[in-house]
Amino acid sequence: MQAVAPNLTALIGELVASKLISHAGSLISLAKQPASTIQILGAEKALFRALKQKKSTPKYGLIYNASLVGSATNTKLKGKISRSLAAKCALCVRSDALAEDVDGTMGIKNKAYLEGRLKLLESGGSVVKKAFNGGAQGGFQSGLGEKRGYND
């Protein structure tokens, strides 16, 4: 697995990565999947049953076996981490499938980020993202340091 998909292997482990690739069919077909599909890959039966009965859809499939999802304390956090992990898996698998020289550093960095996010969520903190345009002020920063409006 380290030779086939080093970033994905570093992120979620050999066993889960191989299960995801085999369920998708190949590394290229897994790279074509969006993160939402990677998140529930392996839970198709439960997904279609939930859609048919108009109930809540599953939060995770094969990705549930990853150590990051298993280390979350409650089910609400498992769903959040599963969604974030699927997004990072999508990035890593696309890098593994399409990049020429892959050494696995993206997977290691993404795993460290997700571990920090999980610690923050478990401690009761919230993740606040600042808007790119400066927040509620409604302007953007130019490269020279002055603040300009959109119509300037």
Side-chain angles (χ1 to χ4, degrees):
M1 280 305 297
Q2 200 66 343
V4 174
N7 287 317
L8 188 64
T9 303
L11 183 63
I12 59 176
E14 295 174 353
L15 187 64
V16 181
S18 64
K19 284 182 181 180
L20 280 176
I21 291 172
S22 97
H23 196 77
S26 69
L27 186 65
I28 296 294
S29 63
L30 184 62
K32 292 177 184 177
Q33 303 290 332
S36 59
T37 303
I38 292 174
Q39 180 181 353
I40 59 167
L41 203 63
E44 291 88 2
K45 190 175 180 180
L47 173 68
F48 294 128
R49 184 182 337 115
L51 290 174
K52 184 178 176 184
Q53 296 175 353
K54 297 183 180 170
K55 302 228 173 159
S56 62
T57 57
K59 295 179 182 143
Y60 27 69
L62 291 171
I63 210 165
Y64 180 78
N65 298 321
S67 62
L68 282 169
V69 177
S71 64
T73 55
N74 60 17
T75 57
K76 190 173 183 181
L77 287 182
K78 285 184 182 187
K80 285 184 178 185
I81 289 299
S82 173
R83 188 169 46 251
S84 299
L85 183 61
K88 297 299 182 183
C89 281
L91 291 174
C92 287
V93 77
R94 288 173 188 156
S95 173
D96 288 335
L98 304 172
E100 295 204 7
D101 52 345
V102 182
D103 56 356
T105 56
M106 178 188 283
I108 295 169
K109 288 178 185 176
N110 286 335
K111 186 172 184 175
Y113 167 77
L114 287 172
E115 287 171 348
R117 179 174 165 85
L118 180 61
K119 284 182 186 176
L120 180 70
L121 289 172
E122 284 179 344
S123 68
S126 63
V127 179
V128 178
K129 293 182 180 179
K130 292 183 180 179
F132 177 76
N133 63 0
Q137 286 82 13
F140 63 90
Q141 297 288 340
S142 69
L144 303 174
E146 76 261 3
K147 184 158 181 131
R148 299 181 357 193
Y150 287 110
N151 295 329
D152 291 342

